[in-house]
Amino acid sequence: AQKVTQAQTEISVVEKEDVTLDCVYETRDTTYYLFWYKQPPSGELVFLIRRNSFDEQNEISGRYSWNFQKSTSSFNFTITASQVVDSAVYFCALSGAPNSYNFNKFYFGSGTKLNVKP
Amino acid sequence: EAQVTQNPRYLITVTGKKLTVTCSQNMNHEYMSWYRQDPGLGLRQIYYSMNVEVTDKGDVPEGYKVSRKEKRNFPLILESPSPNQTSLYFCASSFQTNTEAFFGQGTRLTVV
């Protein structure tokens, strides 16, 4: 079964703290894609990153970094030196790669609400 | 400006009264999808379309219909809405299935 678990419902930090959002997934596909999306208080959904299951290299983009570990089925997201503008709900998502059973289907986690206080 | 446009943004309707939520994208994307967002459940995929006239069920298709007669449009149809379909709905499009998705602004539907 396809499943994405974001066990942290809500996290509160003070500005400039580092914070890690956890994402654990289950899939029957041997190749797949993982995503992170951000939903700020305004409600729109914004793409952050896509990672192919073949590529286990960590990725860094400014204050954002992602740690993909296939051995533990996790794709965690870290924000370094958090800012108030990072306050949002963050969703992790999973999709099958072409020719996989779950190609074309997306499965989202329940989201983690991040509150960054000044 | 590249965008996905949903209408209406807000809708209150009564049980059983057919409604359509429209979705249009101007990026010539092949893949389009509908999701519902409910508290504690995240986003769940309702239907998706790989191209014109090609649609398939997502995780929660019951009570919904879709059509893809033109590449840019992907309406969501509720033939007989029920209160359990009260939710926030998002339409999304992407160049291909596993590429960056662009989401509409959302439609908040209340069925009484």
Side-chain angles (χ1 to χ4, degrees), chain B residues 23 32-34 47-49 55 66-68 73-76:
Chain B
C23 174
M32 297 186 75
S33 189
W34 276 103
Y47 269 95
Y48 60 89
S49 170
T55 64
V66 294
S67 69
R68 188 97 180 269
N73 295 324
F74 190 44
L76 179 70

Side-chain angles (χ1 to χ4, degrees), chain A residues 25-72:
Chain A
Y25 62 92
E26 297 173 34
T27 180
R28 63 189 284 180
D29 295 325
T30 53
T31 56
Y32 48 89
Y33 286 90
L34 294 160
F35 302 80
W36 276 93
Y37 284 88
K38 174 182 180 180
Q39 186 177 44
S42 51
E44 75 274 19
L45 283 142
V46 179
F47 168 84
L48 294 178
I49 191 173
R50 179 189 77 156
R51 177 48 52 89
N52 185 312
S53 56
F54 287 142
D55 182 3
E56 288 195 67
Q57 279 196 335
N58 290 335
E59 177 136 355
I60 298 174
S61 176
R63 296 183 297 106
Y64 294 172
S65 62
W66 290 269
N67 182 355
F68 175 34
Q69 292 201 334
K70 213 166 178 177
S71 59
T72 56

Side-chain angles (χ1 to χ4, degrees), chain A residues 9-40:
Chain A
T9 305
E10 189 165 351
I11 301 174
S12 292
V13 298
V14 177
E15 209 170 17
K16 297 184 184 175
E17 284 185 17
D18 298 347
V19 58
T20 295
L21 310 183
D22 297 333
C23 173
V24 175
Y25 62 92
E26 297 173 34
T27 180
R28 63 189 284 180
D29 295 325
T30 53
T31 56
Y32 48 89
Y33 286 90
L34 294 160
F35 302 80
W36 276 93
Y37 284 88
K38 174 182 180 180
Q39 186 177 44

Side-chain angles (χ1 to χ4, degrees), chain A residues 45, chain B residues 3-7 21-25 27 31-37 43 46-47 66 68 71-76 88-94 101-107:
Chain A
L45 283 142
Chain B
Q3 59 184 6
V4 178
T5 305
Q6 288 179 232
N7 279 299
V21 184
T22 64
C23 174
S24 181
Q25 51 95 1
M27 295 167 278
Y31 184 84
M32 297 186 75
S33 189
W34 276 103
Y35 299 89
R36 60 178 289 174
Q37 182 178 1
L43 283 87
I46 301 171
Y47 269 95
V66 294
R68 188 97 180 269
K71 199 170 187 179
R72 63 183 292 126
N73 295 324
F74 190 44
L76 179 70
L88 177 59
Y89 291 86
F90 285 98
C91 178
S93 76
S94 57
F102 293 81
F103 283 81
Q105 317 95 303
T107 296

Side-chain angles (χ1 to χ4, degrees), chain A residues 3 9 34 44 65 73 76 79 114:
Chain A
K3 188 178 180 182
T9 305
L34 294 160
E44 75 274 19
S65 62
S73 298
N76 296 337
I79 302 175
L114 175 63

